[in-house]
Amino acid sequence: MTDASAPPADTTLTGAGAPPAPAYRVLAQFVRDLSFENPRAPESLRVEGKPAIDMGVEMSAQGRPDGLFEVDIKLSVKASQAEQALFHVELVYGGLFQLQGVREQDIEPMLLVECPRYLFPFAREIVSKQTSDGGFYPPLLLEPIDFAAIYMARRQQQQAQMEAPAAGQA
């Protein structure tokens, strides 16, 4: 039984003339680049204890002539133990996004925070599968990433770099 008074799921409940709520649509997701190295196999598979993990995260976004945006997350994960490399995974995972109702000043945070937040679980699964396929058990499960904190730190770093030359000229 359905509720006849409920609006269809795809309608927006904004008032007449009100701008639509900010949103994005994911049009495609893809692996742009993937590399897995296991330089000491099979000896690296017999390691006891927990390896040291060194992880890097980068986000990038660019507009396209058709009005869509490409967003990439680059994950680099290196595992080592006793200064011996165990594995190295590099993944660039991307998505094609369409933004709707996003104000100009909110485009960059949407592309570098919300879009990567959407893509991350899929990239996490790929890294996990690669480490599992490489013979490592248990596979590496990346912790959730705070993309907003990374974005804010990046903005502060850019602002500090812009202020540093000005301070040197005074």
Side-chain angles (χ1 to χ4, degrees), residues 14-142:
T14 58
Y24 64 85
R25 289 183 53 211
V26 183
L27 303 177
Q29 293 177 227
F30 46 88
V31 173
R32 190 178 299 275
D33 188 25
L34 176 61
S35 170
F36 179 81
E37 298 173 19
N38 189 354
R40 295 185 39 240
E43 286 78 23
S44 61
L45 304 177
R46 296 190 222 175
V47 174
E48 295 293 324
K50 204 171 187 179
I53 303 291
D54 180 28
M55 186 171 121
V57 179
E58 295 177 31
M59 295 95 57
S60 64
Q62 65 181 20
R64 295 168 29 124
D66 58 5
L68 302 177
F69 295 90
E70 291 181 30
V71 177
D72 288 337
I73 303 174
K74 180 179 181 183
L75 300 174
S76 177
V77 183
K78 296 178 183 178
S80 61
Q81 190 171 51
E83 298 186 29
Q84 295 280 336
L86 298 178
F87 66 81
H88 184 189
V89 180
E90 283 193 8
L91 170 65
V92 179
Y93 191 75
L96 184 62
F97 293 85
Q98 178 183 35
L99 302 184
Q100 300 168 334
V102 179
R103 297 180 311 184
E104 185 73 29
Q105 66 267 25
D106 295 333
I107 291 175
E108 184 178 70
M110 177 73 82
L111 293 174
L112 296 177
V113 176
E114 296 306 321
C115 294
R117 188 178 289 157
Y118 176 83
L119 295 173
F120 178 72
F122 302 97
R124 178 183 192 233
E125 176 65 25
I126 292 168
V127 169
S128 176
K129 179 120 173 65
Q130 289 300 303
T131 58
S132 175
D133 288 350
F136 293 94
Y137 185 82
L140 178 66
L141 292 175
L142 299 176

